[in-house]
Amino acid sequence: LATGIGLIAAIPAVVFTDPEIAWAGLTEFEAKSRGIDFAVSRFPWGASGRAATLGRSDGLTKLVVDPRSERILGVGIAGVGAGELIAEGVLAIEMGTNATDIGLSIHPHPTLSETIMEAAEGLHGTATSYFQPRRKPKLSEGYQPAGSGSPAGIDQDDTVPDKTMICGKCLI
């Protein structure tokens, strides 16, 4: 996918472990190394009703987005069925979808696919199943959003390596 920030490959990668790990598009490390401003929104599966019913709340869904346009630059998922769930992320990257579009798309409840919607809603602090206190976002390259308010759920840590350890079990 050609964008104003260069080429982003909307090609999924899946590691069929337990839990599965899947990603597409840019990782935080790739965005940082290319000098791209980005924001990250994470949704822990401990807040997912479906993950709880499966007894598999050890997952995480992560979106890497352009903070100005909210365009989806990358998606990372760790958890049961991540290989199937990444398809929505691939489509979002390929179609140039933004986080608001995903958040406004109705997802069936309770399902694991909701974790993608919840991560998108987390960018605005409106995730239904996961409370995120309002805080000032930390973004790469000193970007600060316009206006007086800061969207909740944006997270950027300059110390994050290529893959982030989650749940003590897997990397995304």
Side-chain angles (χ1 to χ4, degrees):
L1 173 67
T3 68
I5 57 174
L7 188 65
I8 298 176
I11 299 171
V14 181
V15 180
F16 292 100
T17 53
D18 186 16
E20 290 180 9
I21 304 164
W23 65 94
L26 293 179
T27 64
E28 292 173 79
F29 179 78
E30 291 168 328
K32 204 177 293 184
S33 67
R34 289 166 72 170
I36 298 169
D37 282 337
F38 65 96
V40 174
S41 182
R42 294 175 177 88
F43 181 78
W45 286 19
S48 165
R50 182 61 178 146
T53 64
L54 294 172
R56 296 300 304 262
S57 58
D58 57 344
L60 179 91
T61 300
K62 176 171 67 173
L63 301 179
V64 178
V65 302
D66 179 308
R68 291 179 182 91
S69 67
E70 295 184 5
R71 187 178 200 162
I72 306 298
L73 304 176
V75 178
I77 304 171
V80 63
E84 282 82 24
L85 295 172
I86 197 64
E88 183 174 355
V90 170
L91 184 62
I93 296 165
E94 181 64 33
M95 300 300 294
T97 303
N98 67 34
T100 298
D101 291 334
I102 292 175
L104 291 174
S105 298
I106 298 171
H107 288 67
H109 174 75
T111 62
L112 294 175
S113 67
E114 275 184 306
T115 66
I116 298 169
M117 176 195 71
E118 295 266 15
E121 290 176 341
L123 191 65
H124 302 287
T126 60
T128 305
S129 303
Y130 183 59
F131 173 72
Q132 297 172 324
R134 293 215 175 257
R135 60 191 167 93
K136 186 175 180 179
K138 295 184 282 182
L139 302 172
S140 66
E141 304 302 319
Y143 169 79
Q144 295 297 318
S148 59
S150 296
I154 297 177
D155 183 22
Q156 173 53 49
D157 182 352
D158 290 336
T159 64
V160 176
D162 184 10
K163 306 294 179 197
T164 302
M165 178 65 76
I166 61 162
C167 309
K169 292 185 179 180
C170 52
L171 304 171
I172 63 169

